[in-house]
């Protein structure tokens, strides 16, 4: 069952200008250390940050809140599996919201996909509730796999 869907489109040039203007102040407010390390290891640094920005916006929309009600940018973090597949983790208020949305007897799975084509970066997030098998734990997961 789908609990939420979110999408966002970010302008890479706008993110590049923000990085140039605010530097670490912007990076540290919005992105985790892991996200910063990933972006800084890439040839297209601004595009990597823009995709993660879009993913956080899309995730907040899928959670049904947008970036309000106490959700923090760092409550949502994008990492990658060894295959390169993006994965969304939520903590803090975002994890609490995810738990509230998840029906009893289900686990939440966050699917995320990212793309960019200069000057645009785009992300889609789908939050799915899957029935839990009787032998599994009942806590919702805060990890996703891209589709």
């Amino acid at each position: 069952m789908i609990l939420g869907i979110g999408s966002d489109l970010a302008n890479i040039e706008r993110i590049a200008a923000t990085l140039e203007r605010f530097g670490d102040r912007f990076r540290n407010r919005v992105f985790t250390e892991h996200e910063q390390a990933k972006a800084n290891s890439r040839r297209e640094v601004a595009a990597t940050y823009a995709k993660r920005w879009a993913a956080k916006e899309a995730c907040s929309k899928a959670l049904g809140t947008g970036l309000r009600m106490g959700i923090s940018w760092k409550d949502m973090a994008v990492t990658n599996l060894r295959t390169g597949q993006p994965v969304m983790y939520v903590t803090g208020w975002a994890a609490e919201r995810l738990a509230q949305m998840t029906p009893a007897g289900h686990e939440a799975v966050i699917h995320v996909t990212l793309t960019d084509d200069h000057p645009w970066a785009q992300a889609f997030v789908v939050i799915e509730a899957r029935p839990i098998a009787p032998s599994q734990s009942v806590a919702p997961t805060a990890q996703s796999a891209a589709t």
Side-chain angles (χ1 to χ4, degrees), residues 41-121:
S41 73
R42 295 282 178 92
R43 187 181 60 196
E44 298 295 331
V45 173
T48 302
Y49 277 119
K51 286 187 283 190
R52 279 152 177 73
W53 170 280
K56 290 168 185 264
E57 287 273 8
C59 185
S60 71
K61 293 171 184 174
L63 289 168
T65 63
L67 285 161
R68 58 185 176 90
M69 297 176 57
I71 199 166
S72 165
W73 286 103
K74 288 184 173 182
D75 285 347
M76 301 164 288
V78 178
T79 62
N80 295 85
L81 300 177
R82 289 187 177 166
T83 60
Q85 189 175 5
V87 179
M88 176 69 72
Y89 289 95
V90 296
T91 59
W93 194 91
E96 291 174 24
R97 173 68 180 145
L98 182 63
Q100 291 169 357
M101 296 172 59
T102 306
H106 290 75
E107 65 178 342
V109 179
I110 303 171
H111 303 275
V112 61
T113 186
L114 309 172
T115 190
D116 68 282
D117 187 7
H118 194 87
W120 300 106

Side-chain angles (χ1 to χ4, degrees), residues 13-65:
E13 293 171 359
R14 179 176 161 246
I15 297 296
T18 302
L19 287 165
E20 188 173 315
R21 181 172 179 196
F22 296 106
D24 286 341
R25 191 170 125 204
F26 171 68
R27 277 188 285 275
N28 293 332
R29 184 175 143 250
V30 176
F31 302 101
T32 65
E33 287 181 22
H34 185 80
E35 289 172 311
Q36 291 180 45
K38 182 71 167 182
N40 293 331
S41 73
R42 295 282 178 92
R43 187 181 60 196
E44 298 295 331
V45 173
T48 302
Y49 277 119
K51 286 187 283 190
R52 279 152 177 73
W53 170 280
K56 290 168 185 264
E57 287 273 8
C59 185
S60 71
K61 293 171 184 174
L63 289 168
T65 63

Side-chain angles (χ1 to χ4, degrees), residues 1 3 99-108 128-141:
M1 144 186 12
L3 299 178
Q100 291 169 357
M101 296 172 59
T102 306
H106 290 75
E107 65 178 342
E128 172 191 13
R130 290 185 186 160
I132 297 174
S135 63
Q136 288 182 301
S137 136
V138 294
T141 63

